[in-house]
């Protein structure tokens, strides 16, 4: 029996997936294990794999198979897979091989240098590399926008968040701006009178690591299919069959690394529960970066910072670090629900967190659309931090515009995913609570079975079968509705 066009495509995409597997593990190693002198060679090897994948995906025959497969007799899931294949093909075919290679090399170089430039507050050194990344990202955005219509920034946003536009983001973020500053003020006023006891360290790294592993076990992480390591910036990488998560430790601060691990475990559980029978095909990939972030924020914020979960985790903390006044239940819960505007996005509480995202979104959109240049970033960053959070980052690049890894490799368009993810997470948790009336009691007993089954049935097992809008509507009964995020913040903090 001769192969159908669709079967030819599934074989091609399975092959691409194996290259992605190697690339993902080599990237994880670059961030977590690789000695510094290996950087240039690793960057070249990753660029080579990227070019090879680009050649396979943009082959003329793939385009012909995609057109011909439209006429074949496919079931619903195969149709969805074909739709995703077409999306990946159309995104790749717009870019010349030389740009794919140049962007990969510039990104590796910029990220590697950032690791030492950030601690040294070396904006001048960093910005020299960033300019090259921005130049190539603008070129990519131009090519994509010309083919797709819409703005250059929207063309990059679409890679991470299909069907999302900056016009829609502007509406969502304008709503946020109308109530978040006053909520932030009310919550900080309310909390100002509470005199809390800070946990006193040192908290040895090895013991912190053990506590992180305790939390991962509690949250159902599959250690036969993943591991925890250390990197300069926490992330979740690898592949569904072998998920690599990382955190970073500070011996004077206990909860930053712990909740970093809880956050990345949310990403990991999603990856580990993607549809196994379709792995290697585009339909088995996570739906989008905002849905991915909704899972990590569901774990870290909706679940992780809830009183029920904090109570469940307390005995583990005391058994690892001994008892101290800061770990008295009421103080410990209040400490982990503090709202305190700060410089660092990954350490931000959930009320001030959206401010960090809107600020980055507005800057990166202006940068890609050509309204500002790299030199303008520090002053704009400072101005927006002052307006949102009353903090100055003048001259403080390491805790200002150099703190994130996303721009180093040209990830422009990713940042909005975090706040979209927070909105989706609140909506999903609301729907889960409606479906599971004993949820809070279950959580305080450490019984997450029903909750994870609900996530598996409604989000995890579907991969990219449905559009984001259909996925959320099927799970919650309506498309994205930011009012659940506001309700959640008001209920928890006011």
């Amino acid at each position: 029996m001769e192969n159908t066009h669709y079967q030819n495509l599934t074989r091609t995409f399975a092959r691409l997936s194996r290259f992605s597997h190697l690339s993902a593990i080599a990237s994880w190693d670059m961030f977590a294990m690789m000695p510094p002198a290996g950087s240039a060679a690793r960057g070249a090897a990753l660029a080579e794999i990227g070019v090879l994948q680009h050649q396979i995906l943009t082959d003329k025959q793939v385009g012909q198979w995609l057109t011909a497969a439209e006429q074949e007799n496919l079931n619903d899931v195969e149709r969805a897979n074909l739709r995703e294949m077409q999306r990946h093909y159309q995104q790749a075919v717009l870019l010349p091989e030389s740009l794919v290679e140049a962007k990969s090399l510039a990104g590796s170089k910029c990220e590697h240098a950032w690791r030492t430039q950030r601690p040294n507050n070396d904006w001048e050194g960093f910005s020299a590399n960033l300019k090259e990344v921005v130049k190539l990202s603008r070129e990519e955005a131009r090519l994509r926008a010309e083919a797709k219509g819409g703005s250059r920034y929207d063309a990059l946003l679409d890679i991470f968040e299909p069907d999302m536009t900056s016009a829609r983001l502007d509406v969502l973020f304008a709503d946020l701006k109308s109530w978040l500053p006053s909520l932030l003020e009310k919550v900080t006023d309310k909390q100002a009178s509470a005199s809390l006891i800070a946990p006193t360290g040192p908290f040895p790294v090895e013991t912190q690591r053990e506590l992180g592993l305790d939390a991962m076990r509690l949250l159902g992480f599959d250690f036969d299919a993943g591991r925890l390591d250390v990197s300069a910036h926490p992330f979740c990488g690898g592949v569904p069959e072998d998920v690599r998560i990382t955190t970073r430790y500070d011996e004077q601060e206990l909860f930053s690394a712990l909740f970093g691990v809880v956050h990345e475990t949310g990403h990991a559980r999603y990856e580990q529960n993607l549809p196994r029978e379709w792995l290697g095909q585009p339909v088995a990939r996570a739906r989008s970066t905002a849905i991915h972030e909704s899972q990590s924020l569901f774990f870290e914020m909706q679940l992780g910072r809830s009183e029920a979960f904090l109570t469940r985790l307390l005995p583990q903390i005391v058994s690892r670090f001994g008892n101290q006044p800061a770990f008295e239940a009421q103080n410990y819960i209040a400490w982990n629900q503090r709202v305190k505007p700060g410089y660092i996005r990954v350490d931000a509480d959930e009320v001030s967190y959206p401010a960090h995202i809107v600020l980055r979104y507005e800057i990166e959109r202006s940068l890609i659309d050509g309204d500002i240049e790299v030199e303008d970033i520090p002053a704009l960053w400072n101005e927006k931090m002052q307006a949102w959070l009353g903090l100055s980052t003048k001259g403080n690049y390491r805790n200002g515009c150099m703190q994130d890894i996303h721009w180093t490799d040209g990830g422009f368009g990713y940042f909005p995913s975090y706040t979209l993810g927070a909105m989706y997470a609140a909506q999903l948790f609301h729907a889960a609570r409606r479906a599971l009336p004993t949820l809070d009691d279950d959580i305080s007993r450490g019984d997450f079975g029903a909750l994870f089954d609900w996530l598996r049935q409604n989000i995890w097992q579907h991969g990219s079968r449905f559009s984001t809008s259909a996925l959320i509507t099927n799970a919650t009964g309506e498309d994205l509705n930011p009012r659940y995020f506001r309700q959640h913040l008001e209920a928890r903090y006011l």
Side-chain angles (χ1 to χ4, degrees):
M1 179 181 151
E2 76 174 294
N3 287 321
T4 65
H5 300 294
Y6 176 76
Q7 285 168 333
N8 288 332
L9 287 165
T10 59
R11 263 200 297 279
T12 303
F13 276 86
R15 192 171 169 225
L16 284 166
S17 163
R18 292 181 194 117
F19 285 122
S20 292
H21 182 148
L22 294 176
S23 184
I25 299 300
S27 297
W28 162 84
D29 175 78
M30 180 166 79
F31 295 131
M33 309 291 273
M34 185 188 76
S39 174
R42 180 64 52 86
L46 285 167
E48 191 71 47
I49 291 186
V51 168
L52 183 59
Q53 287 176 286
H54 188 260
Q55 287 169 345
I56 295 167
L57 180 52
T58 57
D59 190 299
K60 275 196 176 64
Q61 195 159 42
V62 171
Q64 289 159 3
W65 288 337
L66 285 166
T67 306
E70 283 282 7
Q71 309 310 316
E72 292 176 346
N73 184 21
L74 305 176
N75 66 31
D76 285 358
V77 184
E78 289 166 339
R79 281 264 157 237
N81 196 31
L82 182 61
R83 178 199 71 219
E84 292 300 304
M85 288 171 171
Q86 284 164 334
R87 199 170 82 78
H88 291 296
Y89 173 77
Q90 282 155 4
Q91 283 184 337
V93 82
L94 298 174
L95 304 185
E97 207 174 281
S98 56
L99 179 59
V100 173
E101 182 176 34
K103 197 168 173 243
S104 179
L105 288 168
S108 292
K109 181 184 176 191
C110 188
E111 187 280 328
H112 186 74
W114 166 83
R115 296 184 208 185
T116 47
Q117 287 163 344
R118 184 190 170 206
N120 294 331
N121 204 39
D122 176 13
W123 167 253
E124 213 164 296
F126 175 69
S127 64
N129 288 332
L130 184 63
K131 279 175 192 165
E132 183 61 19
V133 173
V134 169
K135 186 185 96 179
L136 296 166
S137 296
R138 282 175 172 172
E139 176 59 13
E140 176 183 2
R142 182 185 67 78
L143 292 169
R144 292 191 184 287
E146 280 171 8
K148 201 175 187 296
S151 76
R152 294 180 182 189
Y153 180 74
D154 281 8
L156 298 185
L157 181 62
D158 188 68
I159 298 169
F160 299 104
E161 207 47 42
D163 307 322
M164 183 53 72
T165 62
S166 47
R168 191 172 169 210
L169 279 177
D170 287 343
V171 172
L172 288 164
F173 290 169
D175 173 63
L176 204 59
K177 284 177 167 179
S178 74
W179 57 264
L180 191 70
S182 66
L183 177 68
L184 196 50
E185 204 177 319
K186 279 182 205 152
V187 176
T188 44
D189 285 353
K190 180 182 176 227
Q191 293 189 353
S193 56
S195 56
L196 296 180
I197 303 165
T200 47
F203 303 101
V205 165
E206 196 39 54
T207 320
Q208 285 197 54
R209 179 183 152 77
E210 290 303 326
L211 179 64
L213 294 171
D214 289 342
M216 288 166 74
R217 280 183 209 102
L218 193 59
L219 294 167
F221 183 90
D222 178 1
F223 286 94
D224 287 336
R227 52 181 286 143
L228 170 68
D229 291 281
V230 177
S231 68
H233 195 92
F235 71 93
C236 173
V239 292
E241 306 90 326
D242 179 8
V243 180
R244 306 298 176 93
I245 71 174
T246 68
T247 192
R248 56 185 177 205
Y249 298 102
D250 173 351
E251 296 217 322
Q252 298 311 315
E253 216 295 313
L254 175 58
F255 294 113
S256 176
L258 175 64
F259 282 98
V261 168
V262 172
H263 178 97
E264 301 307 337
T265 301
H267 282 305
R269 291 296 318 272
Y270 185 19
E271 287 288 320
Q272 290 180 337
N273 286 278
L274 286 167
R276 274 291 188 266
E277 66 279 20
W278 291 93
L279 284 185
Q281 294 302 312
V283 76
R285 294 187 196 177
R287 171 60 273 171
S288 72
T289 51
I291 294 298
H292 230 311
E293 290 305 335
S294 79
Q295 298 310 290
S296 55
L297 292 168
F298 190 103
F299 273 57
E300 180 194 3
M301 297 300 185
Q302 297 292 324
L303 175 61
R305 301 274 180 182
S306 69
E307 197 166 316
F309 183 81
L310 288 168
T311 304
R312 178 64 190 79
L313 205 55
L314 186 55
Q316 259 105 332
I317 292 169
V318 172
S319 84
R320 293 282 177 201
F321 293 101
N323 219 336
Q324 54 170 277
F327 298 156
E328 182 275 314
Q330 210 175 342
N331 184 85
Y332 151 81
I333 288 164
W335 184 263
N336 280 297
Q337 291 185 348
R338 273 177 319 155
V339 171
K340 191 168 183 257
Y343 293 104
I344 305 298
R345 174 185 64 83
V346 295
D347 293 336
D349 60 85
E350 59 181 334
V351 184
S352 57
Y353 196 104
H356 292 270
I357 298 309
V358 176
L359 170 156
R360 287 158 172 76
Y361 158 66
E362 290 173 349
I363 291 175
E364 71 176 13
R365 185 181 61 180
S366 298
L367 191 62
I368 293 300
D369 285 342
D371 301 330
I372 62 167
E373 296 301 330
V374 169
E375 293 82 2
D376 303 319
I377 294 174
L380 266 173
W381 193 287
N382 180 48
E383 184 190 307
K384 289 174 187 289
M385 277 297 273
Q386 298 259 27
W388 269 103
L389 300 174
L391 297 169
S392 168
T393 56
K394 197 171 175 162
N396 181 3
Y397 308 112
R398 58 189 293 242
N399 293 328
C401 54
M402 281 179 71
Q403 65 181 275
D404 295 295
I405 203 172
H406 304 60
W407 289 345
T408 63
D409 68 351
F412 299 100
Y414 191 113
F415 277 123
S417 307
Y418 290 106
T419 288
L420 288 171
M423 290 174 179
Y424 284 127
Q427 189 166 331
L428 287 167
F429 205 82
H430 183 269
R433 189 172 262 142
R434 205 170 49 215
L436 307 167
T438 60
L439 183 58
D440 290 310
D441 291 341
D442 293 347
I443 292 168
S444 46
R445 288 200 317 276
D447 178 2
F448 306 118
L451 180 61
F452 294 154
D453 282 345
W454 188 88
L455 283 172
R456 192 177 291 107
Q457 278 165 15
N458 287 285
I459 302 293
W460 297 345
Q461 68 169 352
H462 298 301
S464 282
R465 182 174 177 181
F466 305 112
S467 69
T468 309
S469 172
L471 183 71
I472 286 299
T473 305
N474 295 344
T476 69
E478 59 185 309
D479 200 354
L480 176 61
N481 184 342
R483 102 187 143 88
Y484 294 107
F485 183 51
R486 182 177 182 175
Q487 278 175 4
H488 158 70
L489 295 180
E490 289 173 348
R492 179 174 285 175
Y493 296 99
L494 289 181

